[in-house]
Amino acid sequence: MKSDISGFPEFLPNEQIAFNKVIDAIRKHFELYGFAPMDTAAVERISTLLAKGDDNEIYGLYRLADEKSKKDFGLRFDLTVPLARYVAANSGKLIFPHKRYQISPVWRGERPQYGRYRQFYQCDVDVVGDGDLSIEHDAEIVSLITGVLSSLDIPSFHTQLSNRKILSGFLKTIVEEKKVANVIRLIDKIDKISREEFDESLKKMRISKEHVTKLKNFLNTAHRGDNFDILKRLRTFSFNEEYACGVMELITVFQILKKLGIEDRHVKISTKLARGLTYYTGTIFETTFDDDLNDIGSISGGGRYDNLTAALSNKNFPGVGATIGVSRLVSQLIEKGLLETDKFSPATVLVTAQNHEFVGSYMKIADRLRKVGIKTETYLQDKSLGVQLSYASKKGYNFVIIANEMELLEGKAILRDLKTKEQKVIRTEYMEKEVLDLLM
Amino acid sequence: MKSDISGFPEFLPNEQIAFNKVIDAIRKHFELYGFAPMDTAAVERISTLLAKGDDNEIYGLYRLADEKSKKDFGLRFDLTVPLARYVAANSGKLIFPHKRYQISPVWRGERPQYGRYRQFYQCDVDVVGDGDLSIEHDAEIVSLITGVLSSLDIPSFHTQLSNRKILSGFLKTIVEEKKVANVIRLIDKIDKISREEFDESLKKMRISKEHVTKLKNFLNTAHRGDNFDILKRLRTFSFNEEYACGVMELITVFQILKKLGIEDRHVKISTKLARGLTYYTGTIFETTFDDDLNDIGSISGGGRYDNLTAALSNKNFPGVGATIGVSRLVSQLIEKGLLETDKFSPATVLVTAQNHEFVGSYMKIADRLRKVGIKTETYLQDKSLGVQLSYASKKGYNFVIIANEMELLEGKAILRDLKTKEQKVIRTEYMEKEVLDLLM
């Protein structure tokens, strides 16, 4: 992945093929669950983009032909704001629960020197209810994400699972309500900062030593035993109604996941999980690779939010969803050599043209293979067979078909396996079957 | 297709499913020919965007956090400029001929009152050579486009085919060289303006009556007989070398198309075809629906260009390619009722949850169907069966599975076909087979 303009990375063809393979697998899996594709416009009103917060890492647009024109529009920085705007605008035409996925680029108008992506793909899946949305949807989203990641050919991973009400309910027993969000934000950074920084920050928030000890004990609740043990332990505490409700919801979600056969190595109940974004109100989860690939950071995350369209509509649309940070994921897997990137063509077979005069005949051979679904390129330049074979190797082709003028006339050709170097003479009338046999 | 912000249209879920079906068919076909996917960043340097001309219907970008920051970037307005920039920047890493397709949105910074799309998808396929590119690639692109459009479930169409050198060579025999481009641009509009306007424009260019008659006769060359007759007639004229070369190239391309079995109803040689864009230098073509759907205008078009990277690199990269205007195509087909839009979900089966208490069991049933590739949604809200069945109908589901508590315990369920209203009791252990049988 290189970048012609800093922050706007682009793939080479072999990398793009690897990226698309991941995207296609994700799409296929989302549709297997009945989530419909969505593709909102890249452009939103700036007022919409700013409605939920003060994030101003936004690219605004102006018309080059008229720099003085009104600057109302900007590029989306995530896929949640567009979903909220879309649901609010189209609620009369949608069928609820509205299940959609969107795999699209988003833009962040960061300063170039940050060296961070200014365009990257997000891959969001959400279900939005009209007024209410049952807790079972939370379990479905977690199961969906576990399923989709398992279907990819990637290293082992696990999902930390919790419920925002658990941490929030507990925190209200040790700090004033207005401090809760700040403490949650701090806990969200717990793995990125030192123990001293953590303590120092709590001190600055004027939280007593006694309460800090209580907090640390609570955060470590999930450090002993398996998921069942942890849930049992969480049930023994009775802090307040919010906390109790969070534990109940977490148990419901976990029970369904077990019923669906999700393995314990894939889901870990965690009382430390905070998910900084304040709009989560219930189930929260975050997926990372197992220990040895921890540096890649979070692959996916998400949760339940009580009202998607808070700033945009009077109606109440609760939802639950997840994001897969697919640009970073694929780039890092490629960098670590964990994704196959040796194919520069989506096709499997190259039909060479030993005698350029008969190029139409070679094109017909390729067309026959395509008719049975075999992806095939014909070499159309007037070059030596050696150049053509080297082209085939460089592009990562599996098979080449070679025929000279005489062989064409006799209805014969050579089918060569570029990996094993084996080759055989085939009759072109059985060609499709011969190639299909090799591909099976 | 509605538009929340004027010029930035968005689909409803059923329309998006129809759109994606078209896109997927196109992608599949491009890859069948060995064209690799490409996805350049949406953002280009404004200097790159302006390098080839004075098109200033461009959206520039600024950082909202710093309005005074340098305004170097803009959104792409087509997919050719990014291809040129990408090839020039990566030529050392690409394998030539470089075959790529890109299906991406482009943006036009038009005034809102134009009522035209300011974001729409283009679907480009190109092959780019390093230094040279044989004429057979032109035939492949035309055959590819005919093939991809035939594979879509759309009304009958035909492709007008010509070679820019034919018209240009001929025109040089009646007007000065500097006027040629203007006359070509006028001929490009011939079907959109009246005969009087056409004559008037030629008069303004100071073209003599005699030459106007000659021009009209030439443009009508293709009006009598079939493609072979027309090519024969074109060969009888000997205007100049450029013209002769154009005819030769056109014959080569046409002969390959015939060899590949392209039917005459799909390709029509046309001496009137101009393709306004001046960068075409050889083969040109344009596809439209047959008579009764003529108002939709061009579906696809393209041609050969001598040097893709003229303004960006010292090297010479000739290419040939085509564009399918897929946003307009799909929107118009939907408007005319020519694309199926009754499915609001990509899935086929809805597993209802008659007794919400057992929702985990219904989710397991759905999971079993998914394991054999059947796209299945589970209804997870706590609503009456009637509400669930109405949800299934509205979403366009083909089948529902219904089971009450007792049936679940007995390992039975009802499988109902929502179209025929037929239903049968099935044993859940054979469920996958039962549903697959119905789908075949």
Side-chain angles (χ1 to χ4, degrees), chain A residues 11 39 85-86 121 134 380, chain B residues 11 39 86 121 134 380-381:
Chain A
F11 288 121
D39 182 32
R85 191 258 313 145
Y86 181 90
Y121 273 79
S134 74
L380 297 178
Chain B
F11 288 121
D39 182 35
Y86 182 90
Y121 272 79
S134 73
L380 297 179
Q381 294 280 74

Side-chain angles (χ1 to χ4, degrees), chain B residues 204-375:
Chain B
K204 269 189 199 150
M205 292 183 204
R206 294 164 185 261
I207 296 171
S208 72
K209 272 201 179 163
E210 187 204 336
H211 283 160
V212 168
T213 309
K214 266 196 180 171
L215 172 62
K216 286 186 176 172
N217 283 340
F218 181 77
L219 294 180
N220 287 326
T221 309
H223 268 210
R224 282 170 298 125
D226 64 13
N227 286 323
F228 283 111
D229 297 333
I230 299 162
L231 285 174
K232 250 189 275 172
R233 208 171 303 134
L234 289 175
R235 275 182 79 168
T236 62
F237 307 142
S238 52
F239 296 118
N240 48 31
E241 211 179 313
E242 184 183 1
Y243 175 86
C245 174
V247 173
M248 271 292 294
E249 288 184 2
L250 181 58
I251 289 173
T252 305
V253 169
F254 184 73
Q255 278 174 342
I256 292 177
L257 292 177
K258 290 315 284 181
K259 173 128 192 151
L260 295 176
I262 307 274
E263 296 168 67
D264 253 4
R265 69 186 170 100
H266 277 145
V267 175
K268 288 182 179 144
I269 307 287
S270 165
T271 42
K272 263 188 203 169
L273 183 67
R275 299 289 298 160
L277 287 167
T278 44
Y279 64 75
Y280 290 124
T281 51
T283 303
I284 43 176
F285 54 90
E286 189 169 303
T287 306
T288 43
F289 284 120
D290 293 343
D291 296 341
D292 46 332
L293 285 169
N294 243 340
D295 61 310
I296 290 188
S298 138
I299 315 166
S300 175
R304 155 77 65 149
Y305 38 89
D306 268 352
N307 193 358
L308 174 68
T309 60
L312 300 161
S313 153
N314 298 323
K315 292 187 77 179
N316 181 38
F317 296 102
V320 57
T323 304
I324 303 175
V326 75
S327 283
R328 227 189 63 224
L329 172 65
V330 171
S331 300
Q332 298 214 27
L333 290 176
I334 288 175
E335 227 169 76
K336 288 178 195 289
L338 294 168
L339 275 186
E340 193 197 313
T341 52
D342 56 356
K343 286 190 68 65
F344 280 73
S345 164
T348 315
V349 179
L350 180 74
V351 178
T352 58
Q354 195 167 356
N355 185 339
H356 188 73
E357 254 182 73
F358 294 87
V359 69
S361 303
Y362 299 113
M363 290 171 92
K364 271 194 87 159
I365 289 178
D367 257 1
R368 283 184 54 172
L369 294 176
R370 289 178 195 129
K371 286 232 162 66
V372 296
I374 302 165
K375 294 176 186 165

Side-chain angles (χ1 to χ4, degrees), chain A residues 95-118:
Chain A
I95 302 163
F96 290 93
H98 174 58
K99 293 181 163 187
R100 84 87 179 82
Y101 72 90
Q102 179 162 4
I103 304 175
S104 296
V106 300
W107 294 268
R108 302 271 163 102
E110 305 208 30
R111 293 224 308 280
Q113 58 265 45
Y114 274 44
R116 282 167 62 179
Y117 288 174
R118 295 192 279 178

Side-chain angles (χ1 to χ4, degrees), chain B residues 84-115:
Chain B
R85 191 258 314 145
Y86 182 90
V87 168
N90 296 293
S91 63
K93 288 172 197 145
L94 299 176
I95 302 164
F96 291 93
H98 175 57
K99 295 181 159 185
R100 82 90 179 81
Y101 72 90
Q102 180 163 3
I103 305 176
S104 296
V106 300
W107 294 268
R108 304 271 163 101
E110 306 207 31
R111 294 226 305 280
Q113 56 266 47
Y114 275 44

Side-chain angles (χ1 to χ4, degrees), chain B residues 351-352 354 362 365 400-404 406-416 423-429 431 434-435:
Chain B
V351 178
T352 58
Q354 195 167 356
Y362 299 113
I365 289 178
V400 287
I401 287 177
I402 307 169
N404 59 26
M406 189 58 83
E407 285 160 336
L408 281 179
L409 279 172
E410 290 172 358
K412 284 195 274 185
I414 292 163
L415 173 60
R416 184 184 294 177
Q423 64 179 47
K424 64 191 276 196
V425 176
I426 55 170
R427 294 211 53 85
T428 46
E429 59 191 305
M431 182 176 58
E434 297 272 7
V435 178

Side-chain angles (χ1 to χ4, degrees), chain A residues 2 4-6 8-13 16-17 20 24 27 31-46 50 56 58-65 67 71 73 75 85-86 89-90 93-99 101 107 109-112 118-119 121 129 132-134 136-137 139-140 143 256 259-260 344-347 356 359-361 363-364 367 370 373-383 391 394-395 397, chain B residues 2 4-6 8-13 16-17 20 24 27 31-46 50 56 58-65 67 71 73 75 85-86 89-90 93-99 101 107 109-112 118-119 121 129 132-134 136-137 139-140 143 256 259-260 344-347 356 359-361 363-364 367 370 373-383 391 394-395 397:
Chain A
K2 67 179 294 290
D4 193 29
I5 309 180
S6 158
F8 296 94
E10 288 177 337
F11 288 121
L12 286 171
Q16 189 72 48
I17 286 171
N20 284 20
D24 284 345
R27 274 182 61 189
E31 299 203 346
L32 203 54
Y33 277 74
F35 285 79
M38 183 42 45
D39 182 32
T40 58
V43 173
E44 298 283 344
R45 287 199 176 80
I46 288 177
L50 294 177
N56 57 6
I58 291 174
Y59 276 122
L61 299 182
Y62 66 94
R63 292 179 48 234
L64 213 63
E67 284 208 44
K71 297 193 179 70
F73 303 139
L75 294 177
R85 191 258 313 145
Y86 181 90
N90 296 294
K93 288 171 196 146
L94 299 176
I95 302 163
F96 290 93
H98 174 58
K99 293 181 163 187
Y101 72 90
W107 294 268
E110 305 208 30
R111 293 224 308 280
R118 295 192 279 178
Q119 169 177 335
Y121 273 79
D132 65 318
L133 189 72
S134 74
E136 287 79 8
H137 291 95
E140 181 172 70
S143 135
I256 292 176
K259 173 129 192 152
L260 295 176
F344 280 74
S345 163
H356 189 72
V359 71
S361 303
M363 290 171 90
K364 273 193 86 160
D367 258 2
R370 289 179 194 127
I374 301 164
K375 294 175 185 164
T376 308
E377 180 182 347
T378 324
Y379 194 87
L380 297 178
Q381 294 281 73
D382 189 1
K383 301 276 156 126
Y391 173 88
K394 273 193 271 176
K395 270 205 161 173
Y397 277 109
Chain B
K2 67 177 296 291
D4 192 30
I5 308 179
S6 159
F8 294 95
E10 288 176 337
F11 288 121
L12 286 171
Q16 188 72 47
I17 286 171
N20 284 21
D24 284 344
R27 275 183 60 189
E31 299 203 346
L32 204 53
Y33 277 73
F35 285 79
M38 183 41 46
D39 182 35
T40 57
V43 173
E44 298 282 346
R45 287 199 176 78
I46 288 176
L50 295 176
N56 57 4
I58 291 174
Y59 276 122
L61 299 182
Y62 66 94
R63 292 178 48 232
L64 213 62
E67 283 210 44
K71 297 194 177 69
F73 303 139
L75 294 176
R85 191 258 314 145
Y86 182 90
N90 296 293
K93 288 172 197 145
L94 299 176
I95 302 164
F96 291 93
H98 175 57
K99 295 181 159 185
Y101 72 90
W107 294 268
E110 306 207 31
R111 294 226 305 280
R118 296 193 279 177
Q119 170 177 333
Y121 272 79
D132 65 316
L133 190 73
S134 73
E136 286 80 8
H137 291 95
E140 181 172 70
S143 134
I256 292 177
K259 173 128 192 151
L260 295 176
F344 280 73
S345 164
H356 188 73
V359 69
S361 303
M363 290 171 92
K364 271 194 87 159
D367 257 1
R370 289 178 195 129
I374 302 165
K375 294 176 186 165
T376 308
E377 181 183 346
T378 323
Y379 193 88
L380 297 179
Q381 294 280 74
D382 188 2
K383 302 275 156 133
Y391 173 87
K394 273 194 272 176
K395 269 206 160 172
Y397 276 109

